[in-house]
């Protein structure tokens, strides 16, 4: 059973990656007497609810339903969920189990962080994107109209239980969107993982168990390692935002309705790679390999009508913008990245136009 430790000062925990762990959830939850709230969406439950219930081994729990879709990742639904929990007898001893994709883990984690000033949460991610990224590291939050995840907090889970078997029912588009987050991990931290993507495209896209499990385990290892070294994103952890500065701007510009998060990250990685090439951070050969590999795991939806100038303006609202100075994560080679700022707007605009083409 691959298990990776996230060593944080506030709450060290394990991330377990194993086929079948979703069918044994009860044995992994805290045994103290407490009210358990399972936060999910009805579409996730329709696909995986039976397996989840089986894994709970008869243990009692209450449902808290969230709406599906990035456009519903808003504060009003956190308030509604908290009201439901109070009516159902929730208190400071309660436990939240987040069962779903990245939107669920972000929102359920935030709900746990603020309900009664903080209660524990366990993540059981059901999408590839959530398994390799969103469920790990304690970042929680909701969107504002002007930008993504601008309201949130750090709230580390008690544990994360990743069952690759959940991916069997994942739509192809959702699966590919998750692959971009895993590819990101290789691009910034592991040349070995990146080249595994290059050399095993058919097996990965065919969801062959050995290939998928390796991708998940390696991406989780990288995320756990980086978070352990920098829990609150004061330094090293910022490299995990490769593709996200541009991607978040694109999501906001398209009203969170046209792209999945991983697809927006794909766009952002293309823009960041081109920006790295323009500024001399990465060689032309490495940039070509990076761009070609990102393209190989596409496509993403057409971006007709999206204004490069509008995306440039939206960068000012990114969380990583400090005193009006936008910070970008740029690849410096395969498996290497650094954070840069103070770049000329003309270069940034050229990179955006390249990614939109």
């Amino acid at each position: 059973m691959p298990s990776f430790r996230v060593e944080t000062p506030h709450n060290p925990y394990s991330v377990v990656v194993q086929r079948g762990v979703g069918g044994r959830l009860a044995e992994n939850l805290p045994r103290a007497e407490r009210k358990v709230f399972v936060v999910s969406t009805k579409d996730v439950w329709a696909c995986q609810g039976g397996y989840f219930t089986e894994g709970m081994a008869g243990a009692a729990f209450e449902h808290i339903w969230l709406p599906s879709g990035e456009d519903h990742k808003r504060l009003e639904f956190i308030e509604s969920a908290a009201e439901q929990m109070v009516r159902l007898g929730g208190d400071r001893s309660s436990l939240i189990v987040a069962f779903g994709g990245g939107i669920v883990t972000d929102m359920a984690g935030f709900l746990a962080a603020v309900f009664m000033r903080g209660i524990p949460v366990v993540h059981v991610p059901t999408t590839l994107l959530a398994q390799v990224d969103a469920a790990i590291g304690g970042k929680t939050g909701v969107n504002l109209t002007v930008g993504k995840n601008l309201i949130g907090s750090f709230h580390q889970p008690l544990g994360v239980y990743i069952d690759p078997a959940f991916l069997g029912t994942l739509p192809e588009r959702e699966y590919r969107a998750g692959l971009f987050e895993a590819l990101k991990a290789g691009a910034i931290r592991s040349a070995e993982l990146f080249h595994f993507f290059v050399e095993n495209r058919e097996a990965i896209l065919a969801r062959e168990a050995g290939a998928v499990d390796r991708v998940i385990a390696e991406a989780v290892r990288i995320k756990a390692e980086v978070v352990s070294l920098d829990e609150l994103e004061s330094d090293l952890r910022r490299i995990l935002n490769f593709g996200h500065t541009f991607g978040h701007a694109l999501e906001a510009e398209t009203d969170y309705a046209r792209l999945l998060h991983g697809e927006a990250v794909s766009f952002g990685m293309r823009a960041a790679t081109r920006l790295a090439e323009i500024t001399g951070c990465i060689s032309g050969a490495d940039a070509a390999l990076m761009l070609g590999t990102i393209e190989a795991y596409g496509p993403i939806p057409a971006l007709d009508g999206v204004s490069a100038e509008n995306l440039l303006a939206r960068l000012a609202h990114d969380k990583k913008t400090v005193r009006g100075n936008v910070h970008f994560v740029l690849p410096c080679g395969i498996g290497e990245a650094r954070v840069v700022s103070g770049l000329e707007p003309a270069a940034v605009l050229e990179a955006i136009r390249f990614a939109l083409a």
Side-chain angles (χ1 to χ4, degrees):
M1 178 190 300
S3 181
F4 304 89
R5 288 290 289 175
V6 179
E7 298 290 348
T8 69
H10 298 96
N11 179 44
Y13 58 96
S14 293
V15 183
V16 176
V17 182
Q18 187 183 46
R19 289 184 181 267
V21 73
R24 301 187 307 278
L25 292 175
E27 64 191 57
N28 293 307
L29 297 182
R31 298 187 180 277
E33 188 71 26
R34 63 174 77 223
K35 193 90 169 178
V36 176
F37 294 94
V38 176
V39 179
S40 189
T41 63
K42 290 187 177 180
D43 54 346
V44 168
W45 198 258
C47 291
Q48 303 288 357
Y51 187 42
F52 181 95
T53 302
E54 176 186 326
M56 291 296 285
F61 59 87
E62 301 281 2
H63 286 288
I64 300 293
W65 301 116
L66 294 176
S68 299
E70 189 77 37
D71 53 333
H72 291 117
K73 191 180 167 186
R74 302 298 297 273
L75 194 59
E76 63 184 287
F77 298 107
I78 297 297
E79 181 179 0
S80 175
E83 293 276 6
Q84 292 178 59
M85 289 175 64
V86 171
R87 289 195 295 269
L88 291 168
D91 58 27
R92 296 189 69 179
S93 71
S94 299
L95 169 72
I96 287 177
V97 179
F99 182 64
I103 295 171
V104 169
T105 57
D106 279 4
M107 294 182 71
F110 185 50
L111 176 61
V114 298
F115 185 78
M116 302 283 179
R117 296 192 175 92
I119 63 173
V121 60
V122 169
H123 289 306
V124 185
T126 61
T127 66
L128 181 57
L129 186 144
Q131 291 179 353
V132 301
D133 187 65
I136 306 161
K139 276 189 175 182
T140 74
V142 294
N143 303 332
L144 294 178
T145 303
V146 294
K148 187 177 173 73
N149 292 334
L150 294 182
I151 298 179
S153 65
F154 287 94
H155 189 64
Q156 301 294 346
L158 290 181
V160 181
Y161 299 95
I162 296 172
D163 189 342
F166 283 131
L167 304 183
T169 61
L170 199 63
E172 180 70 10
R173 184 182 172 192
E174 290 268 6
Y175 177 69
R176 288 188 184 236
L179 288 175
F180 290 125
E181 281 281 9
L183 179 60
K184 174 208 74 177
I188 62 172
R189 192 76 172 172
S190 171
E192 182 180 353
L193 176 58
F194 186 89
H195 286 294
F196 186 79
F197 269 96
V198 173
E199 297 162 7
N200 295 273
R201 178 179 179 275
E202 291 185 6
I204 292 171
L205 290 180
R207 308 192 202 192
E208 293 181 10
V212 171
D213 292 4
R214 179 170 174 178
V215 164
I216 294 173
E218 184 64 5
V220 168
R221 181 193 67 77
I222 292 166
K223 183 75 180 277
E225 177 183 88
V226 171
V227 171
S228 295
L229 293 170
D230 179 18
E231 178 186 5
L232 301 182
E233 202 176 274
S234 59
D235 187 20
L236 175 65
R237 186 170 177 175
R238 292 190 292 168
I239 67 172
L240 295 172
N241 291 312
F242 175 47
H244 287 63
T245 302
F246 290 109
H248 286 174
L250 179 61
E251 287 182 278
E253 180 66 16
T254 55
D255 297 322
Y256 305 104
R258 286 175 59 178
L259 293 97
L260 300 174
H261 176 63
E263 294 170 339
V265 168
S266 169
F267 165 85
M269 289 193 293
R270 280 174 45 79
T273 301
R274 177 58 183 149
L275 184 57
E277 188 176 16
I278 293 169
T279 56
C281 185
I282 192 171
S283 70
D286 281 349
L289 178 59
M290 188 87 72
L291 292 168
T293 306
I294 294 168
E295 186 72 22
Y297 284 89
I300 67 170
L303 298 174
D304 300 339
V306 176
S307 164
E309 289 76 13
N310 286 358
L311 292 184
L312 180 65
R314 282 191 179 272
L315 295 178
H317 300 297
D318 189 83
K319 298 190 305 299
K320 297 169 287 301
T321 296
V322 180
R323 299 185 186 94
N325 199 3
V326 184
H327 290 66
F328 298 96
V329 180
L330 301 185
C332 300
I334 306 301
E336 301 176 40
R338 62 188 176 97
V339 181
V340 301
S341 61
L343 299 181
E344 289 294 327
V348 178
L349 187 60
E350 180 181 339
I352 293 172
R353 285 173 175 159
F354 171 85
L356 285 174

